[in-house]
């Protein structure tokens, strides 16, 4: 199955994951390779929203509420978006990157970016192998789309 999944995956110019083994394994299963570990995809979250990350966060609206309530969540999302932009600058504008990270680390910046681009993101929190496709031009985000299985 892993081999067939990698054969069907789009061609990626760069395949990155967080340092956690499950993220590395997921990247390898999807793309058939892992080019590098990106420590920025597993930042130290400390006590920030730690009490709410798991269990209660069933929808993207739940994550958006955390962003409205918490300055530390907004700061975290902005820092993650800077990581996303740095990654985008490592490849050509037509290239695709697969970046594998984790819940909350994806939702918070995705919602923030969607708000900036005036693109609604709705539905359940992202599950396994779900997330967003961000399109960048010259290091600036231009589009965001949800990817669901």
């Amino acid at each position: 199955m892993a081999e067939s999944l990698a054969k069907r995956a789009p061609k990626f110019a760069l395949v990155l994951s967080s340092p956690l083994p499950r993220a590395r394994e997921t990247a390898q299963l999807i793309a058939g390779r892992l080019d590098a570990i990106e420590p920025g995809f597993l930042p130290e979250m400390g006590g920030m929203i730690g009490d709410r990350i798991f269990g209660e966060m069933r929808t993207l609206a739940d994550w958006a509420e955390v962003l409205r309530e918490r300055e530390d969540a907004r700061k975290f999302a902005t820092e993650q978006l800077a990581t996303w932009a740095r990654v985008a600058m490592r490849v050509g504008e037509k290239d695709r990157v697969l970046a594998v990270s984790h819940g909350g680390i994806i939702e918070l910046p995705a919602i923030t970016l969607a708000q900036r681009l005036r693109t609604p993101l709705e539905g359940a929190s992202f599950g396994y192998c779900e997330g967003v496709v961000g399109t960048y031009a010259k290091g600036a985000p231009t589009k965001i789309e949800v990817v669901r299985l």
Side-chain angles (χ1 to χ4, degrees):
M1 170 147 160
E3 185 177 311
S4 66
L5 185 60
K7 284 181 181 179
R8 291 188 316 217
K11 299 298 180 204
F12 297 106
L14 185 61
V15 179
L16 304 171
S17 81
S18 88
L20 289 182
R22 67 180 181 262
R24 295 192 315 255
E25 292 165 6
T26 299
Q28 290 171 329
L29 284 170
I30 293 172
R33 71 179 207 274
L34 175 62
D35 298 321
I37 301 298
E38 174 53 58
F41 293 155
L42 187 64
E44 173 56 44
M45 295 178 79
M48 184 197 66
I49 69 170
D51 58 328
R52 294 185 62 184
I53 286 184
F54 301 104
E56 290 183 39
M57 309 310 286
R58 289 181 169 69
T59 68
L60 295 175
D62 294 334
W63 290 104
E65 182 65 25
V66 170
L67 283 167
R68 282 189 294 277
E69 293 174 357
R70 307 271 309 253
E71 175 60 33
D72 55 349
R74 291 188 296 276
K75 182 177 184 269
F76 172 82
T78 299
E79 290 167 356
Q80 277 300 290
L81 287 175
T83 299
W84 293 13
R86 282 192 302 276
V87 168
M89 293 298 291
R90 292 171 60 182
V91 298
E93 287 191 24
K94 302 250 186 234
D95 290 331
R96 293 178 65 114
V97 173
L98 173 65
V100 180
S101 190
H102 311 279
I105 297 171
I106 301 168
E107 279 91 346
L108 291 172
I111 291 166
T112 300
L113 180 56
Q115 290 170 345
R116 289 178 185 174
L117 295 173
R118 293 183 169 83
T119 303
L121 292 188
E122 299 171 334
S125 291
F126 300 128
Y128 294 109
C129 297
E130 295 183 332
V132 294
V133 172
T135 303
Y136 285 74
K138 297 183 175 123
T142 60
K143 185 177 177 183
I144 189 168
E145 302 169 84
V146 171
V147 175
R148 301 272 186 198
L149 290 180

